[in-house]
Amino acid sequence: RTCSQQRHPLACTQNAKMTTMRHDDVIDGLRHVTSCASVCSSKEPPYRQLTWEQQQAGKAKGHRADILSILPRGKHVMVDVTVIHPLGSQQVGRACKTTAAAAVAAEKRKESQWEEFADRPQYEFVPFALESYGALGPQAVEYVKELGSVASASGRVPKSVFVMNAYKILSCALQKGNARMYAMSLTAVARSVGEHFVPGFDVPVVDG
């Protein structure tokens, strides 16, 4: 059975590579937004503030911040990006009733995972959750607004304009990744029936 016969393309494990690429696209988009606010950031910061045991525990469980941002007044923020599909089997029950429910759940899950080793007195942790259809979690929204406040303090751009442009950048990065995942799934489906999917065509074409 093909990926699309079993589950939605945006929740299919066969699209793992495309999922990673989408995640990286969103990270790059968020770093671009961060730089537009004149805030310094680094990608996948090291665990220098943690003990060796904490570092190994974090790596083993996949706990590694995606972005370290240094905001005004020396505020260090560790941002961990995650993209969740609201129609996944574990999310759809809540997602069909409450806006951004899947993103809220993803943020809470990230926070609980980080609690055991995060150095909160030194670093503030922000779980930046997006749903594959575009909704952002409340902490992600607040972080974008905070960057907007930093950007507007310079007098170069109003906060509302910065936030609107930030959402556009993040949305484009997210949907570009979604498009790759759909294309990968349609290719697998076409091959399973002896046809060939060409991105840009309305229907699969026969091989040969």
Side-chain angles (χ1 to χ4, degrees):
R1 298 175 66 187
T2 65
C3 167
S4 293
Q5 289 173 328
Q6 297 180 55
R7 56 182 69 87
H8 195 281
L10 298 183
C12 180
T13 55
Q14 293 185 29
N15 279 340
K17 291 183 179 179
M18 297 298 104
T19 301
T20 301
M21 290 181 66
R22 180 180 63 179
H23 176 262
D24 292 343
D25 283 342
V26 173
I27 292 173
D28 291 340
L30 183 55
R31 286 199 68 198
H32 178 63
V33 170
T34 303
S35 68
C36 289
S38 299
V39 171
C40 295
S41 68
S42 63
K43 189 174 182 179
E44 294 187 351
Y47 290 117
R48 292 173 182 168
Q49 81 282 8
L50 304 177
T51 65
W52 186 88
E53 291 79 7
Q54 290 174 319
Q55 292 179 31
Q56 299 309 307
K59 292 177 182 178
K61 296 182 180 179
H63 302 318
R64 186 184 183 100
D66 295 309
I67 301 173
L68 169 62
S69 299
I70 304 177
L71 275 64
R73 299 183 180 86
K75 180 180 179 179
H76 289 61
V77 181
M78 303 285 267
V79 183
D80 197 20
V81 174
T82 184
V83 182
I84 185 76
H85 185 53
L87 298 187
S89 59
Q90 297 181 353
Q91 306 296 335
V92 66
R94 289 171 292 184
C96 68
K97 299 176 182 178
T98 307
T99 301
V104 171
E107 287 184 342
K108 291 180 179 179
R109 184 166 57 253
K110 283 288 185 180
E111 280 191 312
S112 64
Q113 292 172 345
W114 275 77
E115 282 291 343
E116 58 189 82
F117 74 94
D119 189 352
R120 289 192 178 276
Q122 184 176 0
Y123 294 90
E124 179 178 323
F125 175 64
V126 174
F128 198 96
L130 303 87
E131 294 184 0
S132 55
Y133 292 143
L136 275 71
Q139 295 194 57
V141 171
E142 287 303 313
Y143 182 66
V144 171
K145 289 181 178 179
E146 184 173 12
L147 292 176
S149 297
V150 174
S152 64
S154 66
R156 293 183 293 107
V157 59
K159 179 178 178 179
S160 59
V161 173
F162 179 91
V163 171
M164 179 182 66
N165 289 333
Y167 288 155
K168 289 180 179 178
I169 292 170
L170 293 170
S171 178
C172 287
L174 177 66
Q175 298 311 323
K176 183 170 65 175
N178 287 344
R180 289 199 198 99
M181 296 179 72
Y182 272 106
M184 178 67 73
S185 295
L186 290 173
T187 298
V189 171
R191 287 176 178 172
S192 70
V193 295
E195 296 184 341
H196 180 61
F197 171 72
V198 179
F201 282 73
D202 293 333
V203 297
V205 297
V206 179
D207 284 330

